[in-house]
Amino acid sequence: MLGHIKGMEGGFTPVCTVWAASLVGTSMLFNQFPDWKKTLFLHWPSVLRKKEYTRLVTNFGAFGGTFDMTAMIDLYFLCQSGMRIEACRSGRFLLALILLGAGLLYVDYNKYLFAERTPWLSHRLILSLVCLESWENPWHKTQMPPLPLPPFPSFLMPFLLAAQNCMLFGTPWKMMVAPILVSIPVHALLMIFDELRFQVAYLMSGGAATRSTKEERNNILLGA
């Protein structure tokens, strides 16, 4: 698994690097100081009644449990999908994180899409990022370590990853529904954002978009 992370395409990006360090660091911290969990996990009564709004963010920065194989797989996909998205445009990546995180929080609070409230949403957010990249590059050939599968189209990744979590790690299938479905409207919103961004650049250029701007727009819309 670590070999795949070291051999990934591109380099390390700041947001995903800090996020990965937080996930690993909090796992070690909780082993030594388990009481720290009480101040970081998502607890809706504390958020709404005590106005502890930091919990809406801190719950994404830790796994909350032991650093097991599931956590290793999450780190792998964060270093692959997350860093690939961030490497393209950091601003767009931050927007995607905000939209996905807000969607997952809304679903968790209202218990929509079969979701049950959980103190840590980091796993669901990483799965949503994987889904988002899959929708943006649906026909790109990819693989899914540690399973010895041949290369397959990226749009199958969310479903194979959900099946892996359910069958190999015993994750309830209901936990997989929300991250996948939340990523779909976020993907649509990002496509609208990309189109608006192109139109603004077109107008600011006096109605004559440059070739590089056109190529960037086509790459975005086609998921290249």
Side-chain angles (χ1 to χ4, degrees), residues 6 10 15 35 38-40 49-50 58-59 70 72 83 96 99 120 135 138 146 170 180 182 217:
K6 292 179 181 178
V15 176
D35 288 343
K38 298 178 182 179
T39 62
L40 300 177
R49 298 171 189 171
K50 300 180 180 179
T58 56
N59 78 92
T70 303
M72 284 290 293
M83 289 188 178
L99 293 174
W120 309 101
W135 310 144
I180 294 175
V182 165
R217 174 181 180 272

Side-chain angles (χ1 to χ4, degrees), residues 67-139:
F67 196 77
D68 52 12
M69 180 58 70
T70 303
M72 284 290 293
I73 292 175
D74 282 346
L75 274 181
Y76 166 76
F77 282 111
L78 174 59
C79 292
Q80 286 280 9
S81 299
M83 289 188 178
R84 271 201 295 261
I85 297 174
E86 185 181 358
C88 294
R89 288 206 310 275
S90 296
R92 187 176 184 272
F93 176 72
L94 289 175
L95 176 61
L97 282 184
I98 292 172
L99 293 174
L100 291 172
L104 291 173
L105 287 170
Y106 180 77
V107 168
D108 183 83
Y109 176 73
N110 292 285
K111 299 181 181 179
Y112 289 153
L113 303 177
F114 305 103
E116 298 180 358
R117 289 185 179 176
T118 178
W120 309 101
L121 289 173
S122 53
H123 173 71
R124 296 182 186 180
L125 182 55
I126 292 173
L127 178 56
S128 289
L129 274 177
V130 174
C131 296
L132 186 62
E133 191 195 22
S134 299
W135 310 144
E136 293 184 346
N137 303 278
W139 302 109

Side-chain angles (χ1 to χ4, degrees), residues 166-215:
C166 293
M167 292 186 291
L168 296 184
F169 306 113
T171 304
W173 66 269
K174 293 181 179 180
M175 291 184 61
M176 303 291 105
V177 176
I180 294 175
L181 294 184
V182 165
S183 68
I184 296 175
V186 171
H187 173 55
L189 289 174
L190 289 176
M191 289 182 65
I192 296 173
F193 171 77
D194 293 333
E195 180 62 29
L196 291 175
R197 180 174 174 270
F198 169 76
Q199 295 297 337
V200 170
Y202 184 84
L203 293 174
M204 292 182 65
S205 66
T210 62
R211 176 177 295 182
S212 61
T213 306
K214 290 180 178 179
E215 291 177 350

